[in-house]
Amino acid sequence: LTFLSMSIFLISCGGDDDNTAVINLKLEYAGEPLVMFQEFDYPDGNKIEFSRISFYISDIELTTDGASYNGGEIYVDLTTSHSSLESSNKGLNINISDVKEDNIQSFSFNLGLNPTLNASLPSDYPSSSDLSRTGEYWSNWNSYVFVKLEGRLDRDGDGIKEAFALHLGSDEAMRSLSFNNLDNDRNIELSVDVEKVFNTGTLYDIAETPNIHSLSQIDKINQLMDNLAGSFVLK
């Protein structure tokens, strides 16, 4: 396979370049478009709304009939792109340039950063790099924050929502995802059902642990990262 360089741009709609492949990401909740600040039913029956969903992805790779296109790492913030029903139905596009072949066969990436990248610091990068974001790094973890899930939840059914902030990171938290046998013509559509992040197998008790800001909570981090990785579905 021929390894070529790849440029990645986060934009609100697909590119017109004939050599551009597009990865479209859409958030859902229980199969419906997820809209920020819109109320949804948590699996325990209480009400929840989201104000931020963001994450790093790294080691992106597309494989076509004759080449493999390897990319770097990007910071994906789905908050603005899911601020209304109209924008949620469109989702967020990640454009990958210089993909010269059609018929994409496979697509893979890491949810989070590989250990080499995670051992670096924001100060190691120019301001143009997504890895220069100081707000996405926890020095007491020696790790970037891979995923942020934030919002408000009515924890006790009294009609008043309280804030939650689930910040996930550490080398142990990285997950690798791959999608094969795509036979796809430059357009990859992925959805993430956020309800499943909290309720795949075992219900995450968000009332008990509404905030994750410490590696002492690694069991909770791993539970949510496993669920999030399993919530990506190829459309």
Side-chain angles (χ1 to χ4, degrees), residues 101-217:
E101 293 83 10
D102 291 331
N103 298 319
I104 296 169
Q105 300 296 310
S106 64
F107 168 53
S108 62
F109 62 91
N110 293 329
L111 182 60
L113 302 176
N114 63 52
T116 299
L117 290 173
N118 201 34
S120 62
L121 299 170
S123 59
D124 295 331
Y125 302 94
S127 59
S128 58
S129 171
D130 282 346
L131 292 179
S132 70
R133 296 170 178 262
T134 56
E136 306 306 319
Y137 186 84
W138 282 86
S139 58
N140 58 334
W141 290 15
N142 294 317
S143 173
Y144 282 86
V145 181
F146 294 172
V147 177
K148 286 186 175 180
L149 299 164
E150 299 177 359
R152 297 191 304 154
L153 175 79
D154 182 359
R155 300 176 198 167
D156 50 17
D158 64 356
I160 301 173
K161 298 188 187 74
E162 297 84 19
F164 66 88
L166 305 171
H167 295 171
L168 318 176
S170 82
D171 288 347
E172 187 178 336
M174 192 199 80
R175 299 292 185 269
S176 297
L177 287 78
S178 61
F179 304 89
N180 301 309
N181 303 314
L182 301 185
D183 194 23
N184 190 285
D185 189 15
R186 296 185 176 277
N187 292 288
I188 299 172
E189 296 185 5
L190 292 175
S191 67
V192 180
D193 194 325
V194 179
E195 183 193 38
K196 295 180 180 178
V197 177
F198 301 102
N199 193 31
T200 300
T202 301
L203 177 65
Y204 179 80
D205 192 343
I206 196 170
E208 178 185 67
T209 312
N211 299 300
I212 295 179
H213 291 139
S214 168
L215 288 183
S216 65
Q217 299 165 295

Side-chain angles (χ1 to χ4, degrees), residues 9-16 20 22 24 90-95:
F9 304 92
L10 293 184
I11 60 172
S12 60
C13 58
D16 296 325
T20 297
V22 179
N24 178 258
K90 292 179 180 178
L92 176 70
N93 284 355
I94 300 172
N95 287 355

Side-chain angles (χ1 to χ4, degrees), residues 21-116:
V22 179
I23 301 164
N24 178 258
L25 287 173
K26 291 180 182 176
L27 295 176
E28 298 179 350
Y29 194 92
E32 299 297 326
L34 186 149
V35 179
M36 296 294 157
F37 301 103
Q38 179 175 309
E39 192 174 83
F40 295 96
D41 291 325
Y42 198 69
D44 65 2
N46 289 320
K47 301 298 182 181
I48 190 172
E49 64 183 44
F50 297 90
S51 59
R52 180 189 185 95
I53 297 178
S54 60
F55 47 81
Y56 277 103
I57 61 176
S58 62
D59 299 324
I60 303 165
E61 182 173 357
L62 290 177
T63 302
T64 67
D65 290 332
S68 182
Y69 296 86
N70 294 271
E73 60 288 334
I74 59 174
Y75 179 71
V76 180
D77 189 344
L78 293 154
T79 306
T80 300
S81 64
H82 288 71
S83 60
S84 68
L85 180 58
E86 180 181 6
S87 62
S88 295
N89 282 324
K90 292 179 180 178
L92 176 70
N93 284 355
I94 300 172
N95 287 355
I96 304 176
S97 62
D98 297 327
V99 179
K100 302 184 185 306
E101 293 83 10
D102 291 331
N103 298 319
I104 296 169
Q105 300 296 310
S106 64
F107 168 53
S108 62
F109 62 91
N110 293 329
L111 182 60
L113 302 176
N114 63 52
T116 299

